[in-house]
Amino acid sequence: MIPFTAELAALGVVFGDIGTSPLYAFKQGLLAVGGASVTHDEVLGLLSLVTWAIILSVTIKYVLLVLRADNDGEGGILALVTLLDLHRSANGGRLWLLIAGLVGAAMLIGDGVLTPAMSVLSAIEGLEVVAPALDHWIVAVTVVVIVAVFVSQRAGTDRIGAFYGPIMLVWFLTLGGFGLYGIVQQPGVLVAVDPRYGIALIADHIWLAGAVLGATFLAITGGEALYADLGHFGRPVITRAWLFIAMPALLLNYYGQGATVLVNPAAVRNPFYDLSPDIFDVPLLFLAAAATVIASQAIITGVFSLAKQAIELGYLPPMRIRYTSEHNDQHIYVGRLNWLLMLACTAVVVSFGSSDRLASAYGIAVAMAMISTTILFVAYVKRLNRLPVIALVGLAAGLLVVDLSFAAANLTKLHDGGWLPVAIASLVLVVMVSWRRGLEGLGIQQKRFAEPLEEFIARGKPAGSATSPRTAIFLSRGGALTPVALGRLSDLLNVQFTKSVIASVWIASRPRVPVDERVRVTVLDAGHVRVDVRFGYMQQIDVPSVLGPALYSLGIDPDEAVYVIGHERIMPPEEILGIRDALAHVFAFLARNAERSVDRFGLPRPRTIEIGYPVRL
C-alpha cells in the first residue's frame, strides 16, 4: 500500500468519529454557555477550550505519546493490559490496574452504541435547516442510515476504507474550506488560540464549568479510536493523517463556526450549517450524512478489535470472527456483536430523538476510557524505567489533570441521560468478570476430573481394550493434564487409538506469533504425542493448518486424523446466595451461547467428535 493510499484509508476508518464532531460539538458548547445570548468573549473562550482540548488530549497525549505504546503494532486498552501482563497475574496494585483496563474496555464497547447514534442523528438534523418541512422524518431516516452502516460491516475494513477514504478526504477539505470562508469574514476570531480566553470563560462561568467542559469534550470523543485502530494502519500513517489533514481541517472549521456566530448571533441554532453559503446546504447535508456513516465505522472497527482481544485473553465468550482481509489479520468482522450494536443504536435514536438530548448521554464512556488509558500508559512508562521519578510524576499529573477535568464535567450529565453509557458499560463489565471467573472455576473443576498426563500414559492400555486404527487429536486446555475426552474414552468405553495427539492451544501476550514459534512437539511414548500450538491474540486460530506440518513430520496423515474435543455442560449453583453464585449463572448462560470449539479452532466438522460432560460450579 503506497503512503498516500494508506493515509486515505486511515481517514475512512480511524478519523470518522472525531472528524464529524464539528456537526454538534461547538453547537452544544454555545448552548451550555448561554445559547442565543452568547457574547463575543464567550465565543472566543469556547473556541480556545476546543483548540487546547484537541492539542493536549489528542495531539500530545494520543498522537505523540500513547501511540508509541504498541504491542507488536497493536493498540488499544487491552494492548496495554497485555504489555503489563495484567491478564496473567494481578494482585495488589496490579489488580487495580487490571480493573482500570477492564473498565476502560467496557466503556469503549458501550461507546460503540452511542457514537453512531449521535453522529448520524446530528447530520440528518440538517433537514431542519435545509428543509424544515421534513424535520419529522429525521428519526426514521437516521434509523435507516444506521442499519445500512451495520449491514455494510460484512464488506470488511479493506473495502470500507478504500470506499470511505476519498469521501472522508472530501469531508475534511470541505471542513477546512468552509472554515476559511468564515474566518475571512471575521479574522479577529483567531485570537482564540490564546488559552487565556478559555481560562477566563471557565472563571466567569464557574457554575457552568461542568456543562461547558462537557460540551467541549465532544470535540475530542473520537480520540480513543486513534489508539484502538492502531493495528489497522500503524503509528506513522495515523500521525501523518492527523497532523496534516484531520487536525488542521477541524480547527479551521471550529474557528469558522465561531466567526459565523460573531457575525450573526442567530447562527447559534446550528453554526455548522449556517457557516456554509445557502447554495451548498443540500450537498453539505448529503456529505455530512456520508461522513457520519464513516464516523460510525471508526468506533465499530475499534470495538471489533477490542472484542477480539478480550475473547482471546479470556474476558469475553468466544464469538464467530470472520477475517475480511487476506493481507491483514486485524481486519475482522464479529457478526453477533455487530447486530447487538445495531439494535442498541437504533433503540437509542428512537428513545432520545434528537442530538441535543443525546448529547447529555454522550461523552461519559469515552472520558472514563481515556482515564483508564492514561493510568495504564503511565504504568507502562514506569515499567520501561526510562524516566526519572520526577518526570514520571509530571507526566502522570499533566495527563490526568486534563482527563479528570473532562471526566468530572461529564459526570454532571449522569442524571440527564448519562446513566445510559454507564449502564451499558456496567453490563459489559459484568459479562467480562463472569466469563473470566467462570473460566478460572472451570479450570479448577477440570483438574478434579483429569489426572496428570504422565500418570495416564504410565498406566498403559487396559486389558481387553479396543484399539482404533485412526489417529485421534485431543484438544486440551492444559498440556500437563489428560484431556477429559481421552480419559473418558479410555475409562468408560475402554477405547484406545493407534496414536493419540494431545494438542494444547495457547494464546500469547502478543498479537502475533511467528510461524517458527507456533508449534512445539514432544513425543511422550510410541502411542502419545504432545503438541503445543501458540497463536497471538489478534491472529486467526486455524488449528488444522498449523498442526498439519507437525503431524506429517511424525508420519501421521492429518487428513485422516480424527479430532476429539470435550464440551462442558456448565451447571451453576442451584441457589443464588451471593454475587459469586450470580456470576456463575451468568457464565453458564454465556457458555451455552458461546461459539463451539469446532468452529473457533477451524476443525473439520466431518472428522470431529464432541464428548459432553457436566461440570458443577
Side-chain angles (χ1 to χ4, degrees):
M1 183 178 288
I2 61 176
F4 180 74
T5 304
E7 276 86 34
L8 196 62
L11 290 179
V13 175
V14 180
F15 297 101
D17 186 3
I18 198 169
T20 53
S21 59
L23 282 165
Y24 48 81
F26 196 68
K27 171 186 174 183
Q28 295 301 322
L30 293 172
L31 294 176
V33 173
S37 61
V38 66
T39 66
H40 178 275
D41 286 348
E42 289 170 342
V43 172
L44 296 181
L46 183 60
L47 281 174
S48 180
L49 290 175
V50 169
T51 300
W52 286 98
I54 290 174
I55 292 173
L56 294 175
S57 190
V58 181
T59 305
I60 293 179
K61 175 184 172 180
Y62 281 100
V63 175
L64 299 183
L65 295 176
V66 176
L67 289 186
R68 298 177 183 275
D70 67 286
N71 191 352
D72 283 351
E74 192 63 39
I77 285 181
L78 291 184
L80 284 171
V81 169
T82 57
L83 281 172
L84 294 167
D85 288 328
L86 300 176
H87 62 299
R88 300 208 180 278
S89 60
N91 49 61
R94 290 173 57 82
L95 177 60
W96 289 107
L97 289 176
L98 176 61
I99 292 173
L102 294 182
V103 168
M107 288 291 178
L108 285 179
I109 293 176
D111 186 54
V113 173
L114 296 184
T115 293
M118 182 68 180
S119 300
V120 177
L121 189 55
S122 61
I124 304 302
E125 282 176 344
L127 284 173
E128 295 175 341
V129 176
V130 176
L134 300 178
D135 62 351
H136 60 284
W137 287 100
I138 289 175
V139 171
V141 173
T142 300
V143 169
V144 171
V145 173
I146 286 176
V147 170
V149 169
F150 284 97
V151 169
S152 70
Q153 296 306 307
R154 293 181 60 87
T157 304
D158 274 344
R159 295 177 182 176
I160 290 174
F163 177 71
Y164 284 165
I167 297 177
M168 206 62 193
L169 178 61
V170 173
W171 171 253
F172 280 115
L173 292 176
T174 301
L175 290 181
F178 284 145
L180 284 173
Y181 171 77
I183 292 170
V184 168
Q185 299 178 64
Q186 185 63 265
V189 75
L190 293 176
V191 300
V193 73
D194 188 339
R196 290 177 295 181
Y197 283 97
I199 296 172
L201 176 63
I202 296 299
D204 293 341
H205 297 78
I206 195 66
W207 297 110
L208 294 176
V212 173
L213 287 176
T216 301
F217 184 75
L218 297 177
I220 60 171
T221 50
E224 188 72 26
L226 275 67
Y227 189 40
D229 285 331
L230 177 62
H232 290 274
F233 300 100
R235 182 172 64 87
V237 170
I238 292 176
T239 299
R240 288 193 297 268
W242 170 253
L243 293 178
F244 298 113
I245 302 176
M247 185 178 74
L250 290 172
L251 290 176
L252 285 173
N253 193 264
Y254 282 122
Y255 277 79
Q257 289 187 46
T260 299
V261 173
L262 293 179
V263 173
N264 176 23
V268 296
R269 60 171 186 157
N270 202 322
F272 176 81
Y273 283 101
D274 286 335
L275 170 62
S276 69
D278 293 342
I279 192 173
F280 292 110
D281 281 349
V282 174
L284 184 60
L285 174 64
F286 283 100
L287 181 59
T292 54
V293 168
I294 300 166
S296 305
Q297 179 64 35
I299 191 64
I300 292 171
T301 56
V303 169
F304 285 170
S305 296
L306 188 63
K308 165 68 174 173
Q309 295 177 54
I311 289 170
E312 301 308 341
L313 295 176
Y315 288 104
L316 283 179
M319 291 178 276
R320 182 167 298 182
I321 296 174
R322 188 166 65 86
Y323 292 78
T324 59
S325 172
E326 296 180 358
H327 313 291
N328 193 328
D329 53 16
Q330 289 105 342
H331 294 183
I332 59 177
Y333 168 75
V334 187
R336 185 176 298 182
L337 184 57
N338 186 66
W339 303 127
L340 287 175
L341 289 175
M342 185 190 76
L343 293 175
C345 280
T346 54
V348 166
V349 169
V350 173
S351 299
F352 283 83
S354 72
S355 63
D356 289 344
R357 294 181 60 195
L358 188 54
S360 62
Y362 193 49
I364 291 181
V366 182
M368 301 304 293
M370 286 184 172
I371 291 177
S372 298
T373 298
T374 294
I375 293 172
L376 295 178
F377 175 71
V378 171
Y380 170 70
V381 173
K382 178 184 177 182
R383 184 176 185 179
L384 293 179
N385 200 26
R386 295 177 181 174
L387 290 180
V389 175
I390 187 65
L392 186 66
V393 171
L395 173 66
L399 295 177
L400 284 175
V401 163
V402 177
D403 289 342
L404 290 174
S405 298
F406 283 128
N410 278 285
L411 287 176
T412 62
K413 304 176 181 180
L414 274 175
H415 68 285
D416 192 23
W419 56 269
L420 178 61
V422 175
I424 296 173
S426 298
L427 179 61
V428 174
L429 192 60
V430 168
V431 170
M432 285 182 163
V433 173
S434 299
W435 187 256
R436 184 67 175 187
R437 287 185 61 86
L439 288 181
E440 292 172 352
L442 185 60
I444 294 173
Q445 293 297 326
Q446 285 186 328
K447 289 180 180 179
R448 299 177 182 176
F449 279 102
E451 63 181 316
L453 186 57
E454 292 181 357
E455 294 181 9
F456 175 82
I457 295 175
R459 288 198 285 117
K461 294 183 179 181
S465 63
T467 302
S468 170
R470 305 287 291 270
T471 293
I473 303 172
F474 294 88
L475 293 190
S476 171
R477 290 184 183 271
L481 295 176
T482 305
V484 175
L486 175 58
R488 293 211 157 193
L489 285 174
S490 176
D491 297 340
L492 300 181
L493 299 181
N494 211 18
V495 173
Q496 299 286 324
F497 292 86
T498 302
K499 183 84 71 175
S500 294
V501 178
I502 294 87
S504 297
V505 179
W506 305 93
I507 305 300
S509 297
R510 46 183 171 161
R512 286 163 291 279
V513 173
V515 174
D516 58 350
E517 298 179 18
R518 283 195 185 178
V519 180
R520 185 178 66 183
V521 178
T522 304
V523 178
L524 303 176
D525 68 4
H528 298 85
V529 177
R530 174 179 169 179
V531 181
D532 292 289
V533 183
R534 291 165 54 84
F535 292 93
Y537 61 77
M538 290 303 292
Q539 286 180 306
Q540 183 176 3
I541 300 178
D542 188 340
V543 172
S545 65
V546 175
L547 274 181
L551 295 179
Y552 272 121
S553 67
L554 296 170
I556 300 172
D557 185 352
D559 294 329
E560 296 296 326
V562 176
Y563 287 86
V564 184
I565 56 179
H567 178 70
E568 304 91 354
R569 182 167 65 88
I570 307 301
M571 301 174 66
E574 296 180 355
E575 297 183 11
I576 301 179
L577 301 178
I579 295 178
R580 291 187 176 183
D581 293 338
L583 294 179
H585 277 268
V586 173
F587 175 71
F589 172 80
L590 295 173
R592 287 195 298 269
N593 293 278
E595 183 185 29
R596 305 292 283 264
S597 297
V598 63
D599 297 314
R600 184 186 179 201
F601 296 139
L603 307 182
R605 284 181 171 271
R607 292 186 287 114
T608 299
I609 301 171
E610 290 188 76
I611 298 179
Y613 57 95
V615 176
R616 172 74 69 179
L617 293 181

